[in-house]
Each structure stands twice: as C-alpha cells, then as structure tokens.
Amino acid sequence: DGGITQSPKYLFRKEGQNVTLSCEQNLNHDAMYWYRQDPGQGLRLIYYSQIVNDFQKGDIAEGYSVSREKKESFPLTVTSAQKNPTAFYLCASKRAARDQPQHFGDGTRLSIL
Amino acid sequence: QQPVQSPQAVILREGEDAVINCSSSKALYSVHWYRQKHGEAPVFLMILLKGGEQKGHEKISASFNEKKQQSSLYLTASQLSYSGTYFCGTPPPGGADGLTFGKGTHLIIQP
C-alpha cells in the first residue's frame, strides 16, 4: 500500500543534541512538508520542498534543517538551536498541482530528557 | 495570518447536526478541511475552491464564500466516528506553498 512512513514514533532528545526525524513516501508525490503541532494549536509549517534538491522555509524554520536528496525522502533535523523542541511532528506529501490534498504520516512525538 | 475557527469545541448527541466555521482576514483562494483523532495523523476531508462551491463527503458537506472570506463545514446526523478535531487550512498568497491551519474545533459526539 502507498503511504507516508515517519520514524521513529517517539524520540527523546538531550540538551545540546541534534536529532533527525525520518519521512519516506511511496506515493510518487513531488511536494513534501514538515509541520509542528503543539497542544491546543493547529499545525505550523516548518519547511517544504516542491522538487528534489530544493526546499523553502515555512513559518517557523528557525532551529530546524532539512534535505531533499531523493524524491521519496524528506528528513527533518531538530538542532540544538531549537530551544523548545517538544512537540508532535507531522510530515505530509502531495501532488505538484496547487489544490491537491496533503497526505500525512502518523507523526513523531519528540520530547526533551 | 492564521484562519480563525469557531466554535472552539462542540459536544453533541449522536444524530445531531453541527456547523464549524473558518474565517480569514485575507482573501482566500481555497479552503482545505481535515479531521484529526487524538494522537493520529490528520485525514483529508475536502477542498473548497473559489466560486462558492459546496462539496460533500459522506454526511459532511462544506461551503465557501470568498466575499465573506469564510468557509463552513456541516456535519449532518452526526455519528460517533465523527468525533475528533477539525482543522481548516488556507494556502499562502503568491507562489509559496503549504497550508496555514486554524487552531481547530474539538467535536465530541456522545451516544
């Protein structure tokens, strides 16, 4: 079955540590996205990529980095510069056309040790 | 700017109807609706485009009024499975991508 796989499901970060969240899709979608969700809040866009080897900052990119070396993969690194990383992270993908639905992975819950 | 959703929460009995509103201070090209159950991924419901088009999904329908810069989601004869948090999302202006989501409306359906 086609879909989006995020791993790990739960992740713990120590102070000063960088961690990388994985996102893989086999839907052959061109565009991929990372969102952050905090309790009682909507989803906020961190980064997006419309094509391989290109990505753009979203609304809250500070403290995060991404890469898009392959069409099916869009990993997110939460750096030590992100002072409040505890959140639910969701990866999504969609076809290239503007008004296509986004398909979401099951998310990664990141906590600070 | 983040779209504003109302109400923040709704509690219904099974079989009752509900309306969830999404409004924006800027011109809207389209509105996207998603439902999320606790701890799970958001699930796509429908996209409304300019033109006041009304779409449906099961007993869930929606309208989009671009003059009023708002969209409404209608849940008819609600079922227990409709429980969850409903989010509207709007695309940014210009050539940017992604969606800006509202804070969500929590819907609880009681038997």
Side-chain angles (χ1 to χ4, degrees):
Chain A
D1 285 341
I4 301 176
T5 302
Q6 289 188 241
S7 62
K9 192 173 178 68
Y10 300 95
L11 187 58
F12 298 91
R13 196 192 89 169
K14 296 179 180 178
E15 294 286 342
Q17 187 180 48
N18 293 353
V19 291
T20 297
L21 285 60
S22 171
C23 178
E24 303 275 334
Q25 54 98 0
N26 60 3
L27 299 166
N28 200 32
H29 286 169
D30 292 295
M32 297 187 73
Y33 309 82
W34 275 105
Y35 292 91
R36 168 180 172 141
Q37 187 174 30
D38 295 281
Q41 302 293 319
L43 288 69
R44 292 184 291 167
L45 183 65
I46 305 172
Y47 268 98
Y48 67 90
S49 168
Q50 295 175 315
I51 195 170
V52 173
N53 291 323
D54 187 55
F55 46 83
Q56 306 295 328
K57 292 181 180 180
D59 300 319
I60 55 166
E62 186 175 348
Y64 300 97
S65 65
V66 292
S67 63
R68 186 87 186 275
E69 296 177 1
K70 297 185 297 182
K71 185 176 182 178
E72 55 271 19
S73 179
F74 192 39
L76 173 75
T77 297
V78 184
T79 75
S80 57
Q82 173 49 246
K83 298 306 179 188
N84 184 23
T86 298
F88 189 45
Y89 290 87
L90 287 159
C91 177
S93 70
K94 75 172 184 68
R95 294 178 184 163
R98 184 178 172 92
D99 286 304
Q100 293 292 311
Q102 294 188 13
H103 299 262
F104 286 85
D106 288 335
T108 292
R109 196 167 294 279
L110 176 62
S111 302
I112 293 295
L113 282 178
Chain B
Q1 283 91 347
Q2 186 176 36
V4 176
Q5 289 186 232
S6 63
Q8 289 186 331
V10 185
I11 301 175
L12 297 175
R13 293 272 182 209
E14 199 173 5
E16 293 181 336
D17 301 340
V19 180
I20 299 171
N21 299 304
C22 174
S23 63
S24 175
S25 59
K26 62 179 175 74
L28 294 177
Y29 171 80
S30 64
V31 178
H32 302 223
W33 285 97
Y34 290 80
R35 177 173 62 208
Q36 183 181 31
K37 294 190 181 285
H38 184 69
E40 298 181 6
V43 173
F44 169 75
L45 293 176
M46 63 192 76
I47 295 174
L48 283 300
L49 302 176
K50 279 181 76 169
E53 183 180 358
Q54 189 150 346
K55 301 192 97 174
H57 174 81
E58 299 173 344
K59 292 183 180 177
I60 301 173
S61 61
S63 63
F64 177 31
N65 187 324
E66 64 264 28
K67 285 186 179 178
K68 292 185 177 180
Q69 295 169 189
Q70 69 180 36
S71 176
S72 295
L73 189 71
Y74 307 95
L75 296 97
T76 305
S78 57
Q79 305 169 13
L80 294 175
S81 62
Y82 288 179
S83 292
T85 303
Y86 290 78
F87 293 99
C88 66
T90 58
D97 199 358
L99 294 172
T100 302
F101 286 91
K103 291 187 177 181
T105 295
H106 301 284
L107 179 63
I108 298 172
I109 310 294
Q110 296 177 335

